[in-house]
Structures are given as C-alpha cells and as structure tokens.
Amino acid sequence: MKALVTRLDSFGDVLLAGPAVRAVAARARHVTLLCGPHGEPAARLLPGVDEVLVWESPWTGFQPPAVSRAAVESLISAVDADSALVLTSFHQSPLPTALLLRLAGVRFIAADSEDYPGSLLDVRHQRAPQAHEAEAALDLAAAAGFPRPGDTRLRVLPPPPTGALTGPGGYVVLHPGASVPARAWSPGRCAQTVRALAAAGRRVVVTGGAGERELTAYVAGGRAVDLGGRTGAAELAGVLAGADCVVTGNTGPAHLAAAVGTPVVSLFSPVVPAERWRPYGVPCVLLGDQRAPCAGTRARQCPVPGHPCLEEVTAYDVVAAVDKLVEVLR
C-alpha cells in the first residue's frame, strides 16, 4: 500500500503529525507527506516519511496564494497513493484537500470532518472534544486502520552535533520569536529573563530564524550565545536536544524541543487552547493567564491592551520554572 498523509499548514503542525505518520508507516510500504512550504523543514525531519511533496494551498496559512488551475493540476498529477490521511486543526475543513485527492485517484481517504463529506471521505471521523492535536491525529489514524505505535511521543531523525555552535552542554535555550505577535512574549521580558538566568548561574543560548537576528541580538544582550539566523531545522533540533530546558512561546520550536525530549517552559498565550497545543509528551511548565479575555479568539495581534496574558509573567517566574524542570530531570 502506498499511503499519503497531509498536513498543509505550519512547522509545528507537521511535527505534531509525526506519531500518526509513524502509525501509517508501520502498515504502508511507502509514505508520502504532503505539506506546505512552511512545514517542509519539519517534514524532512520526521521518521517514517519516504517522500515529501510540497504544495502551497489556497485555504491554509496567513498569506495563502490565489487559486490557480495550473497549481491544482500540478498537485493532482504529482499525487500517487492508494490511501490518504488528511490531518487538519479542529477549526479547518479537510474537504478541499479530499476533493483534490479524489481527483488524483486516491481510493481511500480518512479525515476528521464536522461537515457532510458526500463521497469525498471513506472514513468521516469525529475528533474527541479538546483532544491534543497529536492525540487527534493518532485517533484518526487508528480509525482509518493504522493502530497506534507503541511509542506515541514526538520524534525527529537524529540531529547533527551542534557543540561548535553552543559550546558544552548545561545551557538553557530561550527562543523569543513566534509565528504571530499574539503568541510572543515581549523582547523586553525576554531580555530580562536572559539577565535573570545568567545571574542565577545558568548559561543561555538564544535562537531565532534568519529574519529575527535583530531580535535575538537584543535579547542576548551580550550575556548569552546568539544563534539568530545560524541554524536550519536540523541544527536547531541539535541545539534544543543539548539543552537542559527550552523557554519559548506557542510556536514551532516548542514542539521541536518536545520531539528531541527536552522539557519546555511554555509562555502560552490562550488565543488557542493549551490543551490542544501545549508541548506534547515532555515535562512542561505552562506560564500565562489561560483565562485572559483573548482566550480562544485565534487572534494574530493581541486584542487586549498591554498583552496581559503574557506580560504579567516575570523573568523570575521563568527562572523558577526552569529550576523546577531541571530539578525534575536530575
């Protein structure tokens, strides 16, 4: 059987699909992961994936492309699978993807769907209320005939050594950026935390993407190792794997930390539910007011002046959380 798993949105979403991908890989002779360009770096880290097919869909992402007949026909021509698992977030419809997969000749398609699917789905599954994204994907896979693997944690392929970037082990990673502003702790609070961690005797490594060099330089402030723009996905996995703990918001590196088994201090804005999106399968301390007025809004920009859900968290709260997690692992 040639199987296809789709997860068309972001880096972290693709990582959360990893356990379900491994469930499919245990029964299929070939697994293709269909993802968007933002998810591609994560897709190439997942065990069980034989082929990565990248397509930017017009119904996902913050800046989706216009609908294009040529792009749709290109995807239909590229798909070669007998069965497919369409993974989506709780607020997304799988039906546009399912329609294209039907046109590509996929005979068996399973997805979670609140909407009537007509002939688009062979398995119309109902996800459990409030289920974590990783658990929901595993439940759907099981309903489609792919039983849960014995190990349901997030996993990635072994990362490269990164000691030349970080220096010796025994450090804390602080990742200040986030995919949307509403999920990010302020640069000022992040910089205060670097200073507080350093004062507590901890060595700090600050990470960020190529477009975040100014942010990471400010946060590091000469007191931490600044790796802004210096790591791809695999190298970042190695940096996170060598850390005692990772401090970050609800963004891709939180899930990458979980995938390499590193505990997370999660600065979690409640614009999406923590029970669905918190770091999965590792020790975690969740900071942030989960009952703030922005809860459940899926806002990209904080709708509450002052961003109180996260700004009320102090650097000393983070130091205490780091101490707690590091002590648990001793």
Side-chain angles (χ1 to χ4, degrees), residues 104-117:
V106 180
R107 295 191 298 272
F108 177 87
I109 304 174
D112 290 323
S113 183
E114 296 293 329
D115 301 317
Y116 173 63

Side-chain angles (χ1 to χ4, degrees), residues 44-59:
R44 298 196 181 280
L45 297 179
L46 292 184
V49 175
D50 299 298
E51 178 184 2
V52 176
L53 182 59
V54 181
W55 188 69
E56 189 171 17
S57 87
W59 53 85

Side-chain angles (χ1 to χ4, degrees), residues 13 16 19 28 59 90-91 116 132 153 160 169 179 183 185 187 195 207 210 213 237 244 264 275 287 297 300 314:
D13 300 314
L16 291 171
W59 53 85
F90 67 97
H91 61 277
Y116 173 63
H132 193 282
R153 284 179 51 180
S179 55
R183 301 182 192 179
W185 209 24
R195 295 194 293 270
T207 57
R213 289 188 177 96
D244 291 336
V264 180
E275 60 265 26
L287 299 178
T297 62
R300 298 177 188 176
T314 70

